[in-house]
Amino acid sequence: MAKKFRVGFVGSGGIAQNAHFPGWMALPDAEIVAVTDINEATAKAAAAKAGIPDDMVFTDYNEMLEKVELDILDVCTPNSYHRDPVIAGFKAGCNVIVEKPIAISAKQAEEMTEAGHKAGKMFMVAQS
């Protein structure tokens, strides 16, 4: 069996649960393995929807990135909070997808893009 890409979420509210989760869950080569949200109840509800065990539910994305080996980090926070988890994901060795818009300023977008280049990882903005 081929390796499954291990996906973790930062922000597990509506856009994560209703758009991103179904997309990842439809892919045979990917599995959602961890979620984080500053609202623990939201994180737990998202985890239950994806069949993620309680020990893979976090309220701090840095703790998740430290404890869980991920291939892909999916950032679904409000746009004013995209920069820091995207950069942290790259530093942890993840490819990163971020919900639109990419950032609240061109400077932040440049910092995030540069972090991806420096890490040698892929970076995608989820925009239809």
Side-chain angles (χ1 to χ4, degrees), residues 65-120:
L65 290 169
E66 207 174 274
K67 292 182 176 179
V68 183
E69 184 180 330
L70 299 172
D71 299 299
I72 302 166
L73 185 68
D74 193 335
V75 178
C76 293
T77 59
N79 59 0
S80 59
Y81 299 102
H82 285 173
R83 181 192 172 276
D84 291 346
V86 165
I87 291 172
F90 287 133
K91 286 181 179 176
C94 300
N95 295 292
V96 178
I97 181 171
V98 66
E99 184 54 46
K100 64 169 175 49
I102 185 173
I104 58 170
S105 71
K107 181 179 189 272
Q108 282 189 359
E110 289 168 1
E111 291 169 348
M112 294 157 64
T113 302
E114 179 57 34
H117 289 301
K118 184 176 180 181

Side-chain angles (χ1 to χ4, degrees), residues 3-103:
K3 174 191 182 236
K4 287 193 174 198
F5 292 101
R6 297 171 52 84
V7 181
F9 273 80
V10 177
S12 49
I15 194 69
Q17 291 184 46
N18 298 318
H20 291 244
F21 273 37
W24 287 115
M25 292 167 75
L27 297 173
D29 295 336
E31 66 178 325
I32 304 168
V33 297
V35 296
T36 184
D37 198 287
I38 59 170
N39 181 320
E40 187 174 17
T42 300
K44 286 184 176 185
K49 188 177 261 190
I52 298 167
D54 286 346
D55 66 337
M56 291 291 147
V57 176
F58 301 89
T59 56
D60 179 341
Y61 65 84
N62 288 303
E63 180 183 6
M64 179 183 70
L65 290 169
E66 207 174 274
K67 292 182 176 179
V68 183
E69 184 180 330
L70 299 172
D71 299 299
I72 302 166
L73 185 68
D74 193 335
V75 178
C76 293
T77 59
N79 59 0
S80 59
Y81 299 102
H82 285 173
R83 181 192 172 276
D84 291 346
V86 165
I87 291 172
F90 287 133
K91 286 181 179 176
C94 300
N95 295 292
V96 178
I97 181 171
V98 66
E99 184 54 46
K100 64 169 175 49
I102 185 173

